[in-house]
């Protein structure tokens, strides 16, 4: 019912949204003599803000058409290397001629960036992908919005997620490197453990876990406490709703993205309110550059996707309530997941000092679980002064975190000549 009410509210606001758009065009028209008056700028700003707050935010474009390699521009093309109803494996292929001109003709390490399936689209990692493209062959998991997947394509749960990670590593080929950003950490570690135990030729050469809830019992955050405070039945009864028509997945039961977005916003509500007030003032002052930066951020932040009922509830149950992986009790398709049997896969963990989603120690816990790894294949790093988002994006990620990941990947890559690093 809540999902239907949400959709009804969106359509009910359409006439006012259309009026706001017409008002915005009228007060911004160069033919309007009152355009530059205080009244004109105020009405334009108010109309623009209302139109943006009530519109539908679709999946953003990647916008990664070019990357700088050794100071030279290299064309980039996004291709679908493998797909299922629930995920597309994107390969950001760099132009070979451009790489050769930059002195990068030799093959470089392949990296699979596993994007979180926790409410936002994979494009949230645009900056992460751009950084890795300078030195790697980059693949990214582009997860589907559950409301767009017809019921006929079946369910998708936490263990399907593990299987898809294994499938995509098989598509990429032997000894790629995996970078798991936030939520995928437990599933990626489980996939690596299963592939390692099977001596699968496509097992990764290294895994990098960034701000991941490997053991959510440690340094609990507001998110962790919420999961602990409510019984599992509460999440079943209050967080799951059926997708309404006319979406392709009509009838599928999901955890709606707009509920997750409301949770994100409520954690820093005053900051978001202040940001929109500042945006309004920027428009009224004619500060278009600053207003554009605001739009770029919120075009991404307000674009959300739905999670399937089974994936969301299993994640709550197995990762945030029963802690099956760190307790050695996670079972996948009848097999116990044994991270301690990982013997030749490098492990790098990265945490943010001010992370309010995955507290300090939650990601580092992977080292204790992977106790079969020799010390030279393990590395842990805590980045001072950054929160959850700063672990994988922004200035400090590019300047301080990414170089460490790059060096670790080259050190653990069996086919990479370190003299070229």
């Amino acid at each position: 019912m809540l999902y239907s009410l949400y959709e009804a509210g969106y359509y009910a606001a359409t006439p006012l949204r259309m009026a706001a758009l017409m008002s915005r065009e009228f007060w911004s028209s160069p033919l309007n003599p009152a355009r530059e008056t205080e009244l004109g700028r105020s009405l334009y700003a108010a109309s623009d803000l209302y139109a943006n707050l009530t519109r539908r935010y679709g999946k953003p474009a990647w916008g990664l058409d070019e990357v700088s390699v050794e100071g030279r521009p290299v064309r980039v093309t996004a291709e679908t290397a493998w797909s299922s109803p629930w995920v597309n494996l994107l390969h950001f292929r760099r132009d070979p001629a451009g790489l050769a001109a930059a002195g990068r003709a030799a093959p470089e390490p392949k990296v699979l960036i596993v994007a979180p399936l926790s409410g936002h689209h994979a494009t949230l990692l645009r900056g992460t992908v751009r950084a890795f493209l300078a030195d790697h062959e980059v693949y990214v998991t582009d997860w589907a919005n559950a409301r767009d997947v017809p019921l006929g394509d079946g369910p998708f749960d936490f263990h399907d997620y593990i299987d898809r990670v294994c499938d995509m590593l098989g598509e990429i080929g032997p000894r790629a490197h995996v970078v798991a950003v936030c939520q995928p950490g437990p599933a990626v570690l489980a996939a690596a453990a299963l592939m390692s135990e099977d001596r699968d030729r496509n097992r990764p050469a290294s895994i990098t876990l960034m701000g991941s809830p490997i053991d959510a019992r440690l340094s609990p955050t507001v998110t962790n406490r919420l999961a602990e405070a409510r019984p599992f039945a509460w999440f079943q009864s209050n967080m799951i709703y059926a997708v309404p028509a006319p979406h392709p997945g009509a009838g599928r039961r999901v955890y709606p993205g707009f509920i997750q977005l409301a949770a994100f916003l409520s954690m820093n509500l005053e900051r978001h309110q202040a940001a929109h007030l500042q945006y309004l003032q920027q428009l009224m002052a004619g500060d278009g550059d600053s207003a554009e930066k605001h739009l770029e951020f919120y075009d991404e932040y307000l674009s959300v996707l739905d999670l399937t009922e089974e994936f969301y509830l299993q994640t709550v149950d197995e990762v945030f309530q029963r802690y099956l992986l760190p307790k050695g009790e996670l079972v996948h398709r009848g097999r116990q997941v044994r991270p301690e049997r990982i013997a030749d896969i490098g492990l790098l963990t990265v945490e943010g000092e001010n992370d309010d989603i995955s507290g300090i120690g939650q990601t580092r816990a992977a080292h204790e679980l992977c106790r079969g790894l020799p010390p030279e294949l393990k590395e842990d790093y805590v980045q001072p002064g950054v929160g959850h988002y700063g672990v994988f994006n922004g200035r400090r990620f590019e300047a301080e975190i990414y170089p460490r990941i790059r060096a670790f990947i080259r050190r653990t890559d069996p086919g990479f000549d370190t003299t070229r690093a």
Side-chain angles (χ1 to χ4, degrees), residues 136-303:
H136 308 88
E137 282 297 313
V138 179
Y139 297 78
V140 180
T141 61
D142 193 11
W143 301 102
N145 189 339
R147 77 180 184 189
D148 295 331
V149 182
L151 279 170
D153 285 320
F156 180 82
D157 64 18
F158 180 78
H159 296 277
D160 293 318
Y161 191 113
I162 294 174
D163 288 338
R164 298 296 81 76
V165 171
C166 294
D167 291 340
M168 287 183 280
L169 283 170
E171 178 64 28
I172 295 171
R175 309 322 303 269
H177 302 264
V178 181
V179 175
V181 179
C182 186
Q183 169 269 326
V188 165
L189 184 56
L194 294 165
M195 297 179 79
S196 181
E197 190 170 12
D198 291 341
R199 302 300 297 171
D200 191 317
R201 64 189 297 269
N202 295 316
R203 65 191 184 280
S206 77
I207 55 175
T208 298
L209 307 177
M210 308 180 70
S212 295
I214 301 301
D215 190 345
R217 296 173 296 182
L218 307 175
S219 304
T221 62
V222 172
T223 303
N224 304 138
R225 292 191 182 98
L226 173 62
E228 291 180 338
R230 306 284 189 178
F232 181 73
W234 183 89
F235 291 94
Q236 288 179 302
S237 301
N238 294 279
M239 296 287 106
I240 304 299
Y241 299 91
V243 176
H247 297 293
R252 183 180 293 281
R253 289 176 59 77
V254 300
Y255 172 59
F258 64 83
I259 293 181
Q260 180 74 323
L261 178 61
F264 286 145
L265 292 171
S266 66
M267 292 178 67
N268 297 283
L269 185 59
E270 292 183 359
R271 189 184 72 185
H272 291 295
Q273 291 173 333
H276 281 82
L277 177 60
Q278 184 180 40
Y279 172 68
L280 186 67
Q281 295 168 341
Q282 290 164 348
L283 289 177
M284 293 171 64
D287 185 0
D289 290 341
S290 297
E292 187 64 29
K293 291 179 181 178
H294 171 95
L295 284 179
E296 288 177 3
F297 175 80
Y298 279 100
D299 279 353
E300 191 76 58
Y301 192 80
L302 299 178
S303 177

Side-chain angles (χ1 to χ4, degrees), residues 53-111:
L53 287 175
T54 59
R55 71 181 174 90
R56 181 98 69 188
Y57 284 80
K59 181 181 177 181
W62 281 97
L64 296 175
D65 302 319
E66 187 177 278
V67 65
S68 176
V69 178
E70 302 292 352
R72 291 177 176 268
V74 176
R75 292 197 310 274
V76 176
T77 305
E79 303 174 347
T80 300
W82 179 90
S83 66
S84 80
W86 294 102
V87 61
N88 288 325
L89 175 62
L90 298 184
H91 178 199
F92 287 88
R93 188 184 298 277
R94 300 172 298 173
D95 177 49
L99 288 175
R104 297 284 190 85
E108 295 188 294
K110 296 179 179 180
V111 173

Side-chain angles (χ1 to χ4, degrees), residues 100-128:
R104 297 284 190 85
E108 295 188 294
K110 296 179 179 180
V111 173
L112 171 61
I113 299 177
V114 183
L117 182 53
S118 56
H120 282 107
H121 293 279
T123 50
L124 187 69
L125 304 185
R126 186 181 295 103
T128 317

